[in-house]
Amino acid sequence: MLKLHDLYKVYRTDEVETVALNGVNFEIHAGDFVAIMGPSGCGKSTLLNIIGLLDSPSSGDYFFFDENVASYSESQRSVIRKKNVGFIFQSFNLIDELNVAENIELALLYHDMPASERRRRVADAMDRMGIAHRARHMPGQLSGGQQQRVAVARAVVGNQPLILADEPTGNLDSVHGQEVMEMLRSLNADGTTIVMVTHSPAHADYAHRTVNLFDGHVVTDSKRAA
Amino acid sequence: MFWNNVKVALRNLQKNKFFATINIAGLAIGLTVFVFGNLLVRYETTHDAFFEKAARTYTIGSIAAPALNVGIDKFNSVHSALGPLIKTELPDVEYVARTLIWEYLVTMGADSYYQGIRFADPELLRIFDLDYLHGDETALDDPSGVLITESIAVKYFGRTDVLGEAITLDNEYDYRITAVVRDLPLNSHFNSLVIIETDFEMFIPLKALARMRDFDEAGEWDNLSLGNMTYVTLKEGFDLTWLQAQLDGMYGRYVPENIHEVISAFWAVPLVDANTSIWVSLGMPVIAVVKILSFLVLIVACVNYTNLATAQSLGRSREVGMRKTMGAEQGQLITQFLVESLVIAAIAMVIAVAALEVLIPIFNNLASKALTLDYLGSLPLLVLTVILVGICAGLYPAWLITRASPIDALRDVARKGKKGSTVRSVMIGAQFAISAFMLAIVSVVYMQNEKVKNASYEFPRSEVYVLQRLDVDEIRGRLDTLRHELEALPDVKGVAYSWQVPYQQTNSTLNASRVQGDVAGKFSIQILRMAPEFLDVYDIPLLAGRNIGRDMANDSRSEDRSVINVLVNEMALERLGISSPAEAINQRFFDVDDDGGLEEFVIVGVVPTQNITGLFNSLKPWVYYQDNRNIQVASVRITSDNMMRTIGQVEETWKRVIPEYPIQGRFLDDVFNDVYNILKLMNGALAGFAFIALALALIGLFGLAAFMAAQRTKEIGIRKVLGADSLQIARLLVWQFSKPVLLALCIALPAAFLASSNYLNFFADRIDTAIPILLVSGVVAVILAWVTVAGHAIRIARSNPVLALRYE
């Protein structure tokens, strides 16, 4: 499904050159549940951003469904991204001015979809995440766990085949963290490919495969029986 | 999608009430001024358009010859001799009509009033389609016919069906009413000319004037008074250029040689421009200025909005990042932000329209105008303005905030960096440049007006009560009695008859020369016809010689003498080449134009050079002589206590001596204010614009300072932890805004200098230099900016550093 070949990402400022990704090679297959681990600054988030087409590599090839997207512009990436990728962030990134249902609907808003269809799918996603009773609440009125459920609902409402989660449990206590992981597991069981960055070995255990990054290299890539 | 955007926009407003209020209030003020300015300009420039032939009708005025030296270069009026010449000379002119304004004592039924009357050629009624209640457009064909308006009919008779009723002018000349028409709306030049006080009320055939005073129906080349209008209606297919060319040709063929020194050309003006041509005459582009200023105020308001919106939108970086991550393209996000600014502009416009509904009636009342906010007609203007303002003001913040890549936006790079700070500084600078520019101009205009006012105290204008309309035969015979009776009143210090009083914009000149018949050495000298008491009443000292006497031979003008003893001012001596007042006594000079009558002038006394016509006029050479047949006014000098009682006594005296004519009295102050009020009005209007622009700029600065301080809360906390005191912090915040403000002044003040010299050029006696005034107003603008920012900065700087640090 995804293939990264000899991927480099270099950040340049006037004086310093920082190599965030230093020749990364690996492949993700449809239906995978991959956890990316590693210390702070090892390039995890950069990798996730490139996988999610939020950013482009400095060099190397990135095949997204057999299409080399490495040198695509933001607007080209945007078209692929909105069809294929859902995002979950550590800090939820909900829009404070929109209520729960509207925040979820946001993911469909740029998809040329009739309003009735949007409403149906939003209601559906809220049911799945158990937040239907909070539909008219604003993000500020929800707990962290509830907010992250909204974020997950937003990530899945578009039915994108790939979900990227950047430390989805980082801002949550262990109970809520586990809840979110269970959700991801069940999504994966339904066929969604998931790539997740995490610091927690316990949460990495939910994945089928763990990739360890260090200084921009893939150090280990271990698979586990499902 | 659209309603989703509107919804987000409204919620954002709700969330940030403080900034939303500032944003909307600022825009609403700007829009109010802009729409008002537009309505006013449209009102002023569409006068008379309701006349059926308006598009083909023109007024003919004159361009003043440089030698005339009256401070005005164009008149709306023209010599009455031109009209009949056009009639015979130009067959393609369909109609020609002249109007001359004279005031008469009008008696209708039991009542007598002084009434301004337009004496008109009968064709006037073919040019202007009036709404006849009684009678028709042949009303003025009858030389003793009178056309009056409905309200005049009601005023005199209490009803409108008054055809055939008799009216009497100056208790002597009889006419009868031949038509009653509906009143003209206020937006006609007949009612709105600034200088001419006679409204559209009463018309009498021009022919009738010939039997009441020395007037030839064929017209005259020796009299050019304001209000002498000539109207022409061209046949279809002829235009202004054609008319002007014909008039230029006629000027060469018909205008007598000596009139070339009075007017240098004719000046055709479309009828719809007749109302505003007064400003063209004065050389003051008032209509354009209103347009420009109201536009500038709108710009300031827009920049205000843009600035605040830009600063605020940085706080919404995450939202933009998230939306982009979800697949929103920049275009879609820009649309979202533009919808927000359109919503704000629309709300502001609703408030502005509500404000106008309140302001317009007040303005109409104060300025006797009839502005209306007609919604149907104004809708395109209102909608277009909302769209343009919404887009212009919103585009930059929308573009700035949506341009970041999704990761940068999510990381909120913009907030941390200095993105857009240069543009913000430029915008603050622009606002301040505009408001400092206006403030500076207002100051210069104010100082110049003050100078005019202060100079006017040269004459005791608050202690002189002027009695007008004395040039009637029946009154003339009783003037001596009137003077004696008035002088006997305890609080009357003196009574002087004359042709004109100071500040009256009357211009009567002769061409003088030291040597008889020396045309080459001639110069123009102003004539003041007066009685000997004039010097006493106006505290004019004699520098040499004696005053004119009442009973001395040659001290008074009469038909059978060509020599007269006169007083001259020092400037006249200079022009005559006489070096000192003492030497001037018994020197002679001559009138070089051979028009009969006076030829030789003997100087018997010298007075200082004073500005008789005052106001914007320059100092001129004047000759003062006694001419008892040319008396129009009496100046009654009264002591400053018990003025009202004294005026009462003056009125009683008048009633006793001249019972059949009502007294027409006013203070010299009012004569001065006739013109001065125009200057004051302009300054008031300018000050209004400047105040609004400055207030907007300050509101914007305050909002922006509040926002920037919030942005730098963490920095301020760290600085305080490291030992910075409140003053240092406050200085830091204030300085941030000082550079653009100071730079703005460097642009605004020179521009104000140029613009204000345009106003100053109108005055002969100008304030010494505008530069210190400009600098002071610049300093005022800067101090206001500092105070605005500092108030906020000090509050921030004093807050607990821990609170500041906890912010992030």
Side-chain angles (χ1 to χ4, degrees), chain A residues 31-175:
Chain A
D32 264 357
F33 189 163
V34 182
I36 300 174
M37 297 190 73
S40 286
C42 70
K44 300 188 299 287
S45 292
T46 305
L47 182 60
L48 200 69
N49 285 339
I50 290 175
I51 292 175
L53 295 163
L54 287 173
D55 206 349
S56 55
S58 306
S59 69
D61 294 321
Y62 175 26
F63 292 94
F64 196 95
F65 285 108
D66 301 329
E67 194 176 348
N68 190 348
V69 297
S71 55
Y72 275 25
S73 71
E74 160 61 19
S75 59
Q76 287 170 306
R77 280 184 270 128
S78 159
V79 174
I80 304 176
R81 187 168 69 221
K82 71 178 171 192
K83 257 194 291 184
N84 296 298
V85 192
F87 291 89
I88 302 169
F89 298 95
Q90 176 182 3
S91 51
F92 321 138
N93 277 333
L94 300 178
I95 294 174
D96 292 341
E97 284 74 31
L98 299 179
N99 67 30
V100 166
E102 288 161 346
N103 259 294
I104 297 170
E105 192 185 5
L106 196 65
L108 303 174
L109 210 51
Y110 304 104
H111 283 244
D112 280 333
M113 193 180 285
S116 55
E117 170 70 5
R118 286 206 303 262
R119 273 198 294 278
R120 197 188 58 70
R121 286 171 70 162
V122 168
D124 191 41
M126 287 193 297
D127 280 340
R128 274 160 71 192
M129 296 302 148
I131 44 174
H133 60 298
R134 301 284 191 193
R136 300 280 157 243
H137 288 198
M138 303 308 266
Q141 299 167 306
L142 302 180
S143 73
Q146 287 167 326
Q147 289 191 39
Q148 193 59 303
R149 280 203 236 179
V150 176
V152 174
R154 186 176 60 183
V156 301
V157 72
N159 281 339
Q160 286 95 342
L162 174 63
I163 286 186
L164 302 183
D166 192 352
E167 297 193 38
T169 57
N171 278 2
L172 299 176
D173 60 43
S174 59
V175 179

Side-chain angles (χ1 to χ4, degrees), chain B residues 410-539:
Chain B
L410 280 175
R411 285 203 198 120
D412 215 356
V413 171
R415 187 204 281 263
K416 284 160 192 146
K418 285 198 156 185
K419 210 173 236 180
S421 67
T422 316
V423 179
R424 278 202 299 277
S425 296
V426 169
M427 285 192 287
I428 289 198
Q431 273 185 319
F432 262 83
I434 291 173
S435 21
F437 169 77
M438 290 193 196
L439 187 69
I441 289 184
V442 169
S443 313
V444 169
V445 170
Y446 178 79
M447 294 309 281
Q448 176 62 40
N449 287 358
E450 282 298 294
K451 183 175 179 91
V452 167
K453 195 166 92 186
N454 290 335
S456 74
Y457 294 124
E458 183 172 26
F459 299 110
R461 61 182 173 87
S462 59
E463 292 181 10
V464 174
Y465 194 67
V466 182
L467 307 180
Q468 299 169 304
R469 293 277 300 136
L470 305 182
D471 54 337
V472 178
D473 286 337
E474 285 178 49
I475 297 179
R476 204 169 288 134
R478 278 175 272 181
L479 285 181
D480 282 336
T481 320
L482 181 67
R483 178 164 60 87
H484 292 309
E485 298 253 339
L486 288 176
E487 279 169 350
L489 294 173
D491 289 316
V492 170
K493 290 202 270 184
V495 177
Y497 294 121
S498 58
W499 176 254
Q500 71 190 85
V501 288
Y503 317 121
Q504 206 176 322
Q505 301 306 305
T506 305
N507 205 50
S508 173
T509 61
L510 65 87
N511 284 318
S513 177
R514 262 327 275 284
V515 181
Q516 194 159 18
D518 173 20
V519 177
K522 72 179 180 183
F523 66 96
S524 167
I525 186 166
Q526 310 284 312
I527 303 167
L528 182 68
R529 301 176 182 89
M530 49 122 211
E533 295 82 5
F534 196 86
L535 296 194
D536 278 345
V537 166
Y538 286 103
D539 297 333

Side-chain angles (χ1 to χ4, degrees), chain B residues 97-355:
Chain B
R98 300 164 289 168
T99 62
L100 267 61
I101 295 179
W102 286 96
E103 200 184 51
Y104 277 92
L105 182 68
V106 173
T107 309
M108 290 196 232
D111 295 319
S112 297
Y113 299 99
Y114 277 106
Q115 172 74 49
I117 301 169
R118 283 187 163 84
F119 292 88
D121 286 320
E123 279 190 6
L124 189 82
L125 302 185
R126 275 75 173 186
I127 295 177
F128 297 104
D129 49 311
L130 304 174
D131 191 358
Y132 293 89
L133 293 173
H134 303 282
D136 55 35
E137 61 177 30
T138 61
L140 298 182
D141 295 356
D142 173 354
S144 62
V146 181
L147 178 146
I148 59 174
T149 59
E150 190 181 3
S151 58
I152 288 292
V154 170
K155 174 177 162 192
Y156 285 89
F157 297 101
R159 61 197 163 88
T160 60
D161 55 332
V162 292
L163 283 197
E165 293 281 353
I167 75 166
T168 308
L169 263 52
D170 274 7
N171 295 329
E172 192 179 346
Y173 307 101
D174 294 323
Y175 296 87
R176 57 183 192 84
I177 295 166
T178 47
V180 180
V181 297
R182 267 196 214 293
D183 291 9
L184 271 195
L186 281 172
N187 59 339
S188 164
H189 78 285
F190 282 116
N191 289 329
S192 66
L193 289 179
V194 180
I195 297 285
I196 292 150
E197 284 170 15
T198 300
D199 282 348
F200 185 92
E201 290 178 339
M202 183 179 290
F203 288 79
I204 291 181
L206 196 55
K207 214 186 267 292
L209 203 53
R211 79 180 159 114
M212 295 196 294
R213 61 174 65 231
D214 181 21
F215 175 78
D216 182 355
E217 201 200 343
E220 300 170 333
W221 282 117
D222 55 4
N223 185 327
L224 177 61
S225 298
L226 287 176
N228 286 10
M229 306 282 286
T230 296
Y231 304 92
V232 297
T233 299
L234 306 185
K235 288 183 177 159
E236 299 284 357
F238 295 90
D239 62 4
L240 180 64
T241 325
W242 174 84
L243 176 61
Q244 186 64 54
Q246 303 306 310
L247 290 172
D248 289 345
M250 290 181 70
Y251 179 88
R253 288 197 297 282
Y254 292 106
V255 176
E257 196 63 31
N258 61 329
I259 302 302
H260 288 196
E261 287 168 25
V262 180
I263 63 170
S264 61
F266 296 122
W267 178 45
V269 179
L271 179 66
V272 286
D273 295 336
N275 170 57
T276 52
S277 62
I278 173 70
W279 302 117
V280 179
S281 310
L282 294 175
M284 293 191 188
V286 168
I287 297 293
V289 166
V290 169
K291 255 191 215 167
I292 292 169
L293 289 188
S294 55
F295 185 66
L296 284 182
V297 167
L298 183 65
I299 298 255
V300 169
C302 281
V303 169
N304 222 359
Y305 173 81
T306 306
N307 234 336
L308 284 172
T310 308
Q312 252 182 289
S313 68
L314 296 181
R316 294 174 63 186
S317 185
R318 266 173 220 277
E319 174 189 339
V320 168
M322 200 57 229
R323 284 178 186 269
K324 280 202 158 186
T325 306
M326 296 294 170
E329 284 152 36
Q330 189 176 11
Q332 289 169 311
L333 289 175
I334 287 184
T335 309
Q336 182 199 335
F337 279 86
L338 284 185
V339 167
E340 285 188 25
S341 69
L342 283 171
V343 166
I344 288 182
I347 295 175
M349 184 57 99
V350 169
I351 296 174
V353 167

